[in-house]
Amino acid sequence: MNGEAYDVRISKKKPIYPVTSGLRKYLRTYQRDARMPISYDDLMEFYETSPVIDKNGKDTLWETPLYPPHIQENLYNGLKILYAKLKASGNIRIVEHKYIDRVEYCAFGNSHPFRIRIVNRLNDVYDYFYVKQADASRIYGLELEQIISPNPVNYIVDGQTLVEEHIVGIPGDVFTQSLINNPDYNPKRIAKEFVKFNERCMITLLGDMRAYNFVVQITPDFDDFQFRIRAIDFDQQFYEGNPKIYMPQFFKDNLPYVQLCMEHLTATTVLQYQQEERSSIVHRVRSERHRIAALRDVSNTEELSTAVHVKQLREGYADFYRNEHYFGCRTMTDIIEMNVKNVIRQVKS
């Protein structure tokens, strides 16, 4: 990782790609499909919204949708069942003492998500989950996260509706503003995790990992704190043609993390952490080889980007890795497969 940091930008909004019959079959095989009592379109039946303001009086870009009373009751009952399907395979006993406290809508993101807050009335403990438009790109990103990263993801799909579990953590931009210089935190551990996160994104073609699209999870250990960076937004999965879109180090928002790496890591330690992450990826790919092969086969039959972007990216990765085999890649899936093959060769050598 070098010290360059650019203000990489995405010029156009990515289109939403529909869930095809082939992808539905894959989702059924790996138990990601579910019959839902309500859909994303049902949640869109609001008649107006009001802005959600945070405790500091700042607009959060989320809105509170307002529904007619008879519609709201049906929606909220349906949302409780969705939560039971997501968390307990449909066992509605887990929501007997829960109620929907809040529904919020964001017109800013690609998938225009709804964020649902559900509360246990017995002890006031609450949880969040999300209802979104089912975008095939996002689903492939979630599956690659499940297979190749150390982070499990929980989601279900029905038709063009996607329901996702909330990923707990401190937003990456909030972490840099208030916690990155905490004297109790070892900066080398944070830098190490950013290097590994950068490596995973490069290999899986997970794009647009600006600081507000990932979270930092902090776990106290017996003598220190451990850190993990987790993606929470998979909308820009293998769509863009610019290789830097898949390298978090090149986003201006992530400059504090890059500076931390430059200050506390040497070139040798950066390479060591990259090799550690590649070894972990190889282990996970081998243990999930049938699943990743099934995912590859179905994604390779779909149009998930443009021919111009594929050409630009394969040329960019061929130059970055000094590997002319990338020129034979026809799809974004081919490029990911070539990335994985490169990792396997590097680990063996």
Side-chain angles (χ1 to χ4, degrees), residues 71-126:
I71 292 180
Q72 179 170 305
E73 182 178 1
N74 291 334
L75 283 178
Y76 282 20
N77 287 334
L79 287 170
K80 287 169 63 176
I81 295 173
L82 284 190
Y83 184 79
K85 286 180 176 290
L86 182 67
K87 292 287 191 174
S89 301
N91 186 345
I92 61 174
R93 286 181 296 178
I94 74 162
V95 296
E96 286 179 353
H97 302 291
K98 290 182 169 66
Y99 65 93
I100 301 300
D101 178 59
R102 190 184 304 162
V103 174
E104 295 169 340
Y105 170 69
C106 181
F108 179 72
N110 274 3
S111 56
H112 294 175
F114 286 89
R115 180 171 62 195
I116 318 299
R117 174 167 150 147
I118 186 168
V119 181
N120 189 328
R121 60 169 46 92
L122 299 179
N123 56 17
D124 292 331
V125 172
Y126 60 87

Side-chain angles (χ1 to χ4, degrees), residues 129-168:
F129 65 101
Y130 299 84
V131 181
K132 305 177 179 181
Q133 297 180 71
D135 176 15
S137 302
R138 186 177 185 90
I139 292 172
Y140 285 119
L142 288 163
E143 279 298 300
L144 286 168
E145 180 79 356
Q146 174 71 37
I147 296 169
I148 292 181
S149 87
N151 307 311
V153 294
N154 186 15
Y155 73 94
I156 51 177
V157 181
D158 183 15
Q160 297 304 320
T161 300
L162 169 67
V163 180
E164 286 182 38
E165 184 177 59
H166 176 63
I167 297 174
V168 177

Side-chain angles (χ1 to χ4, degrees), residues 188-221:
K188 294 179 182 177
R189 289 183 180 272
I190 302 171
K192 171 184 176 180
E193 180 57 25
F194 186 75
V195 169
K196 291 190 170 189
F197 179 64
N198 194 77
E199 193 69 13
R200 286 199 302 275
C201 293
M202 288 171 57
I203 293 168
T204 62
L205 301 188
L206 177 56
D208 195 22
M209 281 298 106
R210 286 172 281 185
Y212 55 78
N213 285 332
F214 61 79
V215 295
V216 180
Q217 297 179 331
I218 307 169
T219 305
D221 205 350

Side-chain angles (χ1 to χ4, degrees), residues 20 33 124 137 231 315:
T20 62
D33 68 321
D124 292 331
S137 302
E315 291 175 355

